[in-house]
Amino acid sequence: MTPKLRIAAYAYEHTEALLDGRVPIGDVDAAFETASLVSDIFQRTVERRYDVAEYGLTYFLRTFDLDESPFLALPIFPNRNFRHSSVFVNTAAGIEKPQDLAGRTIGEFAMFGHDPGVWIKGIFSDEYGVTPDQSRWVIGGTDHPVPAFDWIPQPVPEGVDVRHAADSETLGAMLESGEIDALISVDVPQALLDGSTKVARLFPDYETVERDYYRRTGIFPAMHIVAVPRELAGQTELMTSVYRAFCEAKDIAQNKYRHGALKQHMGVVTPWFSRHFEENRALLGEDWWPYGLAANRKALDTFLRYHYQQGLSKRLMTSEDIIVPALLDT
């Protein structure tokens, strides 16, 4: 009997070949679904509406503190981003470096410890000595109000001041008005995009800072994994088929850029893209968006450490604790 899987992922270029059916998953009868907001996929994953689903790392890790954690992860990382670019400041607040965030009120998108927030708070702690307990935190939406994500555990460590913004408030407006001093957000505040002089990035030349971070650490921060229920995780052949299909879809996207380099990416509307591609390839390598545990172990274990240090996990876990056993050698 052909197994059936309900699979959900955001519509990235590296999942496109899965969503449109170009890449099958072995002998599986796969039904794919996506959503306009990736957090909707996360909530439906909690509701057990999928057999395989993209899942934010912190959302996934918070389930390990439940009486029975429902998921394990495939070493697939569909969303990753350097996060120095995710910190915004009010230009009148006098914040010029990470150390200036101590004693300030900082907004954070969606919840205390969303994936970009875990990463940049961990980096600030490691590299600048700035820890979350030194600031006050306001949680909410960047340009649209966001309700509390009450469908996922919301741990707040003792000694950290955290509150949720009012129903009508947005963190972007609070940042522009000076009600908060800084903001950590996956979304860029509309005020900045509109050219407001009241909002700026903490790291104006964030690309240089992020490239330096990668040169020093070798870490390309992962935001999401692909989660599977524990009752499926022991089916080695099925898990391997799903993993290989995600890899194949990702390879199709990467090959588009490799082949496009022969014609200076004339199919891309961004000027000087080929030069940017050459720089990325030289820094990040031939497989600049790797799947598998070996290439991502340092990044994953670093996130696990940050998650524990920030009071979001009750115990310090390693990659072996969360990855499907059959794929530990990928």
Side-chain angles (χ1 to χ4, degrees):
M1 184 176 178
T2 302
K4 295 183 178 182
L5 288 182
R6 300 161 299 170
I7 304 176
Y10 193 70
Y12 307 105
E13 59 181 344
H14 46 283
T15 59
E16 185 178 282
L18 286 167
L19 297 173
D20 66 18
R22 279 178 288 161
V23 175
I25 299 180
D27 296 325
V28 172
D29 180 5
F32 285 93
E33 184 176 321
T34 188
S36 57
L37 294 176
V38 71
S39 59
D40 288 344
I41 294 177
F42 299 166
Q43 184 170 0
R44 294 166 193 164
T45 300
V46 171
E47 297 166 354
R48 305 300 294 269
R49 290 169 57 175
Y50 307 124
D51 302 303
V52 177
E54 178 180 357
Y55 207 16
L57 254 175
T58 185
Y59 298 79
F60 167 74
L61 293 176
R62 290 167 194 239
T63 68
F64 279 74
D65 288 336
L66 301 175
D67 291 338
E68 295 184 12
S69 60
F71 306 112
L72 287 175
L74 302 176
I76 299 165
F77 305 91
N79 185 303
R80 61 203 313 154
N81 213 311
F82 294 98
R83 286 308 181 190
H84 294 77
S85 51
S86 297
V87 187
F88 309 92
V89 298
N90 179 282
T91 53
I95 300 173
E96 299 180 354
K97 57 187 183 299
Q99 291 90 333
D100 296 332
L101 294 171
R104 305 304 185 106
T105 301
I106 305 173
E108 184 169 6
F109 177 79
M111 60 184 180
F112 181 73
H114 77 314
D115 292 315
V118 173
W119 270 113
I120 198 62
K121 290 175 202 170
I123 291 169
F124 283 173
S125 178
D126 278 356
E127 301 197 347
Y128 302 98
V130 180
T131 54
D133 61 297
Q134 295 174 337
S135 303
R136 298 171 297 277
W137 298 88
V138 181
I139 309 305
T142 300
D143 289 306
H144 303 280
V146 169
F149 286 1
D150 57 5
W151 41 270
I152 197 75
Q154 299 280 344
V156 174
E158 186 176 353
V160 180
D161 184 350
V162 180
R163 70 175 179 88
H164 201 283
D167 292 345
S168 61
E169 291 180 319
T170 65
L171 299 177
M174 294 170 74
L175 180 66
E176 190 174 18
S177 70
E179 187 174 349
I180 60 176
D181 302 302
L183 169 64
I184 298 174
S185 173
V186 65
D187 296 332
V188 179
Q190 188 63 47
L192 182 64
L193 298 176
D194 291 342
S196 172
T197 59
K198 297 180 179 179
V199 177
R201 295 182 188 270
L202 176 59
F203 299 97
D205 188 11
Y206 61 85
E207 181 181 346
T208 297
V209 176
E210 290 171 347
R211 287 181 181 276
D212 174 70
Y213 171 78
Y214 181 81
R215 289 188 186 96
R216 291 186 290 103
T217 67
I219 292 175
F220 189 171
M223 303 294 137
H224 302 168
I225 47 81
V226 171
V228 296
R230 286 182 181 267
E231 56 265 30
L232 289 180
Q235 299 185 33
T236 298
E237 186 174 343
L238 180 61
M239 295 297 96
T240 301
S241 293
V242 172
Y243 172 74
R244 287 175 177 169
F246 270 87
C247 289
E248 184 178 345
K250 188 258 298 184
D251 289 343
I252 289 172
Q254 287 184 304
N255 283 334
K256 178 179 69 175
Y257 292 106
R258 295 185 186 108
H259 297 155
L262 298 172
K263 298 291 186 181
Q264 299 193 73
H265 298 99
M266 65 181 182
V268 178
V269 298
T270 304
W272 304 293
F273 180 85
S274 284
R275 178 59 179 165
H276 188 66
F277 177 71
E278 291 169 6
E279 292 174 349
N280 284 351
R281 205 171 181 180
L283 177 63
L284 301 172
E286 185 61 26
D287 183 5
W288 59 90
W289 197 279
Y291 291 166
L293 181 55
N296 292 283
R297 179 183 291 275
K298 183 177 181 181
L300 190 54
D301 283 344
T302 298
F303 189 93
L304 291 168
R305 174 169 63 86
Y306 289 163
H307 209 258
Y308 172 70
Q309 290 174 338
Q310 293 170 30
L312 302 174
S313 291
K314 292 180 180 178
R315 64 185 178 93
L316 176 60
M317 293 179 282
T318 66
S319 295
E320 282 76 12
D321 294 315
I322 67 171
I323 297 295
V324 168
L327 297 172
L328 286 172
D329 61 353
T330 53

